[in-house]
Amino acid sequence: MGPFYFFMTPNKFTAVIFLVFAIVVLGVWIPNDVETGLLEKMRRHWVIGDSLAPTLAAGFVLFGAALILLFEKRDEAQFTMAAAQFVFFLKLVIVILVALSVMRHLGPILINTYAAISGLELEYRLLRDVIGVKHIGFLIGGMIMIGGMIAVVEGRLSHRALVIGLIWSLVLILVYDLPFEDLLLPPNGDV
Amino acid sequence: MSVLDYIWLGILAVFQGPEAFSIFGLAISITVIMVISGFFLGILVGATPGLAGPVAMAISLPILISTFGYNTDALLPVLGFLIGVMKGATVGGAVPAILFNTPGTPDAFMTTLDGYPMAKRGEAKRALRIAHFSSVSGDTFSDLVLIIGAPFLAIMVERYLDLPEKTALLILSLSFISAVVGGSVGRGLISTGLGLLAVYVGTGEDFYPRLSVGTQTLAQGFPISTSVLGVLIIGAVFKELDDLRSDQRASRMKPITTSDTNSALTLAERIKLAPTIFRSAVIGTVVGALPGIGSTLAATLGYTAAKRRHDDAEGGKFGEGVPKGIAATEAANSAVSGANLMPVLSLGIPGNAAAVFLLLAMDSISGFNPSPTVFKFDPVNLNPELVMAFGIFTTMFLANALNWTVGGRVMRSMGFMIRIPKHILLPSVLLLTLTAIYVQETRIEALYFALGFGVLGYLMRVFGISPLPFVIAFILGAKLEETARQAYAATGNDPWFLFTHPIAAVFVALSVGVMILTSRKRGSV
C-alpha cells in the first residue's frame, strides 16, 4: 500500500471511486441529461420513463461499491497500481492517439499540400479510390502504432519495430481493402 | 413435418448449401469449407498466447459479413466459421499451457498445473494427447446435451414465461453473472452496472437521446463493436502488455520441446481416464448452460472434483504432472462451449465471450432470431429457423469430427506459435481489432470509442473487475429495458409486476439469493 491509494486499502479505494461515480451519475448526470423521469404519464397512461434504466444501472454500481466498502475492503483480491505501470500505460495510449491522428489526417494533408504546391485542384475525397493515396494514412499510422508500441515495451525505437509495423499494415490492406470494394480503411469512411 | 425431417433438412442445408467447388463431380459446400477453415484458424489462435477464440471471431466477423452478405444464405457459412474457430481455440489453448506454462486461453490455466510438469518430465506429447482426447470428449458430450436440451428449454420458456417472467429472467441472468464472475459480488455488480449504463447512452424513447451530454457524437450511442471489442480485446491487449512489462521473465522462458517418442495413449489408459472426463464433462455442461459462468470456473470445478477423488498413492500428486489433472480440466472447459449455446439459441442470452460473437453474427444476418420460437416444431408449415438450428448443430458436429480425426495432429504441430514474441503480437492484434471496428463503423470516432473502452477494460482488469459482466450487460441492456416496458404495459401499469407473478418473484428471489450466497461463501473462504 502506498500514497497512491490515499492511505486506504486498494479495495476501499476502488469502492470509493465507484461510489463517487455512481453518486455523480445519480445526482447530476441523470437528472440533467435525461428528459423523462422514472415513470411518465403519456396519454393518461403511466409508462416507464427514460430515467429508470440508467438509474438502475447506476444503482448496480452504487450497490457493488457499497458491498466492497462494507464487506470486501480487506479481501485478498487487492489490486496494485504503481507509478511506473501508470506511466507505461499512458505512453501506450499516447502512441495510439498519435497513430490514429496520423491515420485520419495524413492523406488529406499530403493531398492539400501537393495541391497547394502544384496549383492543381485536388481533393483527398475525390482521390480516395486511388490505390496508394487511400492507403497512405493507414500505412503510416499503422506503422507508428505498432512500431511505437513495440518501442514502448522494448524501451527504444528500432528500425525492426517500424518495419514490422509497416509490413503488418500492408498485410491488413491486402486482407481488408484490396479484395473487398465495400470495406473502407481509415480515414476513407470519414472524408 | 416430423422432427427427423427437420434434422435431415438441417444436415442438407450444410452439405448441399451453396457450392464452393467440386472434386470429381462431388460438390463441396461453402459451409463445410468455412467450418474447416475456422477450425484450423481456431487451433492456431488458441495455441498462440495472447490470442484466443473470441479475438479471431471478432476480427473475422466483418470480413465474413462483407463476403457473404446479410441474407439468410450467409448464416450457416458465417456461423460455421465462427463455431469452427470456437472449437479449434478450445483445443489449441492447451498447447502453450503444457509446453510453455502459459495458458493460450484463460480457461486453460488449470491445464498448466499438471500439463507443464508432465512436459518437464519429457512427456509433452503425451500430455498434449491427453488434453486433446479429454477436450474433444467433453466438447462432444456437451453438444449432445445442447441438441437434446435446447428445444426443451425453449418449450419451457414459451410455455411458462410471459413478459414479467422474461424480465425477471434477464435480471436473474445479470445477477448470476455479477455474482459468480470475477473477483467478488461487489466487483461483478460494478461491471454489470457500467455495461448497462454504457448501453443506455444515446438511446431511450424520448426525442432527446438520453445521457448524450447534448453532443451529436454520443447521441448515436456506442456501437456494440466498439464496446465489446474495446473492453474485451483492447483492454486485454493493454493488460497483457502491462504484465509483460512487469514480468519480462516469461518472454525469455524457453518452451519445452515435444520430443518424447512413446506418447500414444492406449485404450486402457483412455478407459482409465473416462470417469474423470465424464465427471468433468457433466460439470462443464451444467456450468455452461448457466449464463455467464464460463469455462474458467468449469475447469476449476472439474479439476477440484477430480483432485478430491484422486488417490495420491495411485498416480502421484495433483499439480505434479498427473494425467487426470489435465483430463479433468480440459474436459470441463471444453464442455462449456456446447451447453453455452442453450441460453443463446433459446433465449438470446450469451454465456461467454465466444457466444457473444455468435449472437452478434445472428443479429447481423437476417433469418435467425434466437428465441423460443426457433424450436417450434411445426408439423404443417416449415419453420426455417428450426432448420437453421439443426444446420448449426450439424456444423458443430462437423467441427467435432474434424477434431476427433485431425485435430490432435494439428494441435501438436502448433508448438511454434509460442515463439512469436508477445510484444510484437499484441500491438498487431490491436491494429487488427481497430481495423475490424473501422470497416464496420466507417468513422474514426468509433476507434476513439473503442480505445476509450479499451482503457476502461484495462482499468477494470487492474481493479480486479471482470469485463465479462460488462459485455453481457451491454448486450442484454436494451432487451431488459424493452421487456420491462412491455411487461409494465401488459400488466396494466402494475409497478410490482416482478413480485405479483409467482415465477417472476421466484426469479427475483433467486437473484437476491445467489448474491447473498456467493458473498457468504466468499466471506467464509
Side-chain angles (χ1 to χ4, degrees):
Chain A
M1 202 198 324
F4 186 83
Y5 310 123
F6 304 102
F7 304 105
M8 300 178 208
T9 64
N11 269 9
K12 195 173 173 185
F13 179 73
T14 310
V16 170
I17 285 180
F18 286 105
L19 203 65
V20 171
F21 172 75
I23 290 168
V24 170
V25 172
L26 287 168
V28 181
W29 195 10
I30 293 174
N32 290 296
D33 205 19
V34 185
E35 292 288 298
T36 55
L38 300 176
L39 291 173
E40 285 287 309
K41 201 162 194 179
M42 273 179 70
R43 294 174 191 164
R44 281 178 287 171
H45 282 289
W46 284 99
V47 293
I48 290 177
D50 279 354
S51 291
L52 185 64
T55 303
L56 282 176
F60 268 65
V61 178
L62 186 78
F63 186 47
L67 273 183
I68 297 177
L69 203 57
L70 294 173
F71 303 112
E72 300 166 9
K73 64 184 171 191
R74 298 201 183 281
D75 255 17
E76 279 178 24
Q78 307 277 348
F79 75 93
T80 51
M81 183 78 170
Q85 186 183 3
F86 185 70
V87 170
F88 173 81
F89 175 63
L90 207 63
K91 281 181 188 169
L92 288 178
V93 173
I94 290 170
V95 164
I96 296 167
L97 285 173
V98 169
L100 287 180
S101 189
V102 169
M103 226 177 245
R104 171 66 184 84
H105 299 291
L106 182 66
I109 287 174
L110 285 177
I111 295 297
N112 289 345
T113 310
Y114 182 67
I117 293 167
S118 64
L120 296 168
E121 277 194 26
L122 294 173
E123 212 180 311
Y124 182 84
R125 196 169 59 86
L126 302 174
L127 295 170
R128 66 176 186 176
D129 281 340
V130 178
I131 289 179
V133 173
K134 67 172 177 175
H135 298 133
I136 189 75
F138 183 78
L139 198 65
I140 304 299
M143 181 185 78
I144 292 173
M145 191 182 292
I146 293 181
M149 288 175 79
I150 294 173
V152 170
V153 178
E154 289 181 340
R156 66 188 180 89
L157 183 62
S158 62
H159 288 108
R160 179 172 146 267
L162 290 173
V163 170
I164 290 169
L166 199 67
I167 292 172
W168 186 235
S169 306
L170 263 174
V171 169
L172 292 186
I173 289 169
L174 291 172
V175 170
Y176 278 101
D177 192 74
L178 294 185
F180 305 105
E181 275 188 12
D182 55 336
L183 294 188
L184 295 173
L185 290 176
N188 301 320
D190 290 276
V191 289
Chain B
M1 289 189 68
S2 70
V3 177
L4 286 177
D5 290 328
Y6 274 108
I7 294 172
W8 182 238
L9 283 174
I11 294 170
L12 289 182
V14 171
F15 290 99
Q16 289 189 351
E19 180 186 323
F21 54 83
S22 63
I23 302 171
F24 304 119
L26 180 70
I28 307 294
S29 102
I30 190 75
T31 306
V32 172
I33 299 298
M34 294 311 288
V35 173
I36 296 170
S37 319
F39 179 71
F40 288 129
L41 178 69
I43 296 184
L44 191 79
V45 294
T48 313
L51 292 182
V55 176
M57 293 167 87
I59 288 160
S60 32
L61 192 54
I63 298 180
L64 293 169
I65 300 272
S66 186
T67 309
F68 293 101
Y70 295 90
N71 63 30
T72 315
D73 286 346
L75 199 73
L76 286 177
V78 172
L79 288 178
F81 185 86
L82 298 178
I83 285 168
V85 171
M86 182 176 81
K87 287 182 176 288
T90 311
V91 179
V95 177
I98 289 168
L99 299 183
F100 202 49
N101 205 21
T102 303
T105 49
D107 52 18
F109 170 72
M110 303 298 282
T111 310
T112 60
L113 300 182
D114 285 281
Y116 190 62
M118 268 188 86
K120 278 206 294 189
R121 277 204 313 253
E123 294 179 282
K125 259 190 183 170
R126 206 170 124 75
L128 287 171
R129 279 184 195 276
I130 293 167
H132 173 257
F133 175 63
S134 315
S135 176
V136 73
S137 304
D139 195 3
T140 309
F141 174 83
S142 180
D143 288 353
L144 286 169
V145 174
L146 163 73
I147 293 172
I148 298 163
F152 281 105
L153 181 65
I155 290 166
M156 298 283 276
V157 169
E158 191 72 347
R159 186 170 297 168
Y160 295 108
L161 306 191
D162 206 350
L163 288 164
E165 290 82 6
K166 281 179 183 165
T167 310
L169 183 64
L170 286 168
I171 292 171
L172 175 60
S173 303
L174 289 176
S175 310
F176 202 76
I177 292 159
S178 305
V180 298
V181 176
S184 70
V185 179
R187 286 180 163 82
L189 282 169
I190 289 173
S191 185
T192 303
L194 292 176
L196 290 173
L197 206 55
V199 78
Y200 293 140
V201 169
T203 55
E205 293 212 325
D206 190 67
F207 181 70
Y208 174 77
R210 67 184 160 197
L211 305 173
S212 57
V213 209
T215 62
Q216 201 51 42
T217 311
L218 289 181
Q220 295 174 53
F222 298 116
I224 197 162
S225 61
T226 63
S227 61
V228 172
L229 300 193
V231 169
L232 274 186
I233 296 174
I234 301 177
V237 166
F238 284 143
K239 187 68 174 74
E240 291 255 357
L241 283 170
D242 186 17
D243 291 345
L244 211 59
R245 178 196 60 84
S246 59
D247 187 20
Q248 292 288 347
R249 184 183 57 88
S251 60
R252 286 197 295 268
M253 272 170 65
K254 288 275 177 290
I256 285 170
T257 51
T258 54
S259 56
D260 45 326
T261 45
N262 187 21
S263 63
L265 281 181
T266 61
L267 183 65
E269 284 172 316
R270 287 172 198 257
I271 291 170
K272 203 175 166 190
L273 289 173
T276 308
I277 292 172
F278 180 71
R279 193 184 314 113
S280 278
V282 172
I283 290 172
T285 304
V286 172
V287 166
L290 300 168
I293 307 186
S295 41
T296 310
L297 183 74
T300 314
L301 291 176
Y303 188 82
T304 314
K307 190 179 176 183
R308 207 172 288 152
R309 287 167 182 270
H310 179 69
D311 182 5
D312 286 353
E314 189 191 323
K317 267 189 176 174
F318 260 56
E320 292 178 0
V322 179
K324 275 185 187 171
I326 302 173
T329 310
E330 284 298 313
N333 69 24
S334 302
V336 167
S337 65
N340 226 310
L341 292 187
M342 264 196 252
V344 173
L345 294 176
S346 43
L347 298 165
I349 297 175
N352 63 11
V356 164
F357 293 105
L358 289 176
L359 200 61
L360 287 183
M362 290 172 195
D363 278 349
S364 306
I365 300 166
S366 63
F368 193 83
N369 298 307
S371 69
T373 53
V374 165
F375 293 100
K376 202 170 179 184
F377 284 92
D378 193 332
V380 184
N381 300 311
L382 179 82
N383 175 3
E385 287 190 314
L386 186 55
V387 175
M388 283 297 161
F390 281 114
I392 293 168
F393 295 153
T394 308
T395 61
M396 296 176 86
F397 274 94
L398 183 59
N400 284 347
L402 281 170
N403 214 347
W404 277 109
T405 49
V406 293
R409 198 175 292 270
V410 177
M411 173 203 182
R412 287 191 295 278
S413 67
M414 288 290 162
F416 70 93
M417 289 307 291
I418 53 183
R419 291 198 175 85
I420 298 176
K422 262 190 174 181
H423 72 286
I424 291 174
L425 180 76
L426 293 168
S428 308
V429 169
L430 182 88
L431 181 62
L432 187 58
T433 309
L434 291 174
T435 310
I437 291 170
Y438 191 87
V439 297
Q440 283 181 82
E441 304 298 331
T442 59
R443 57 187 175 125
I444 206 92
E445 280 164 4
L447 302 190
Y448 291 116
F449 284 154
L451 183 62
F453 279 115
V455 171
L456 178 69
Y458 167 74
L459 291 175
M460 285 169 80
R461 284 169 172 89
V462 169
F463 284 119
I465 298 171
S466 166
L468 192 62
F470 176 98
V471 170
I472 293 178
F474 192 93
I475 286 170
L476 294 182
K479 194 172 179 177
L480 174 65
E481 189 182 22
E482 191 193 335
T483 319
R485 281 182 196 275
Q486 290 172 350
Y488 182 68
T491 53
N493 301 345
D494 176 10
W496 306 106
F497 68 81
L498 287 174
F499 305 99
T500 49
H501 291 69
I503 296 176
V506 169
F507 285 161
V508 172
L510 280 171
S511 307
V512 177
V514 76
M515 278 197 247
I516 294 171
L517 272 175
T518 319
S519 301
R520 287 182 61 179
K521 203 175 167 193
R522 284 212 167 105
S524 64
V525 170

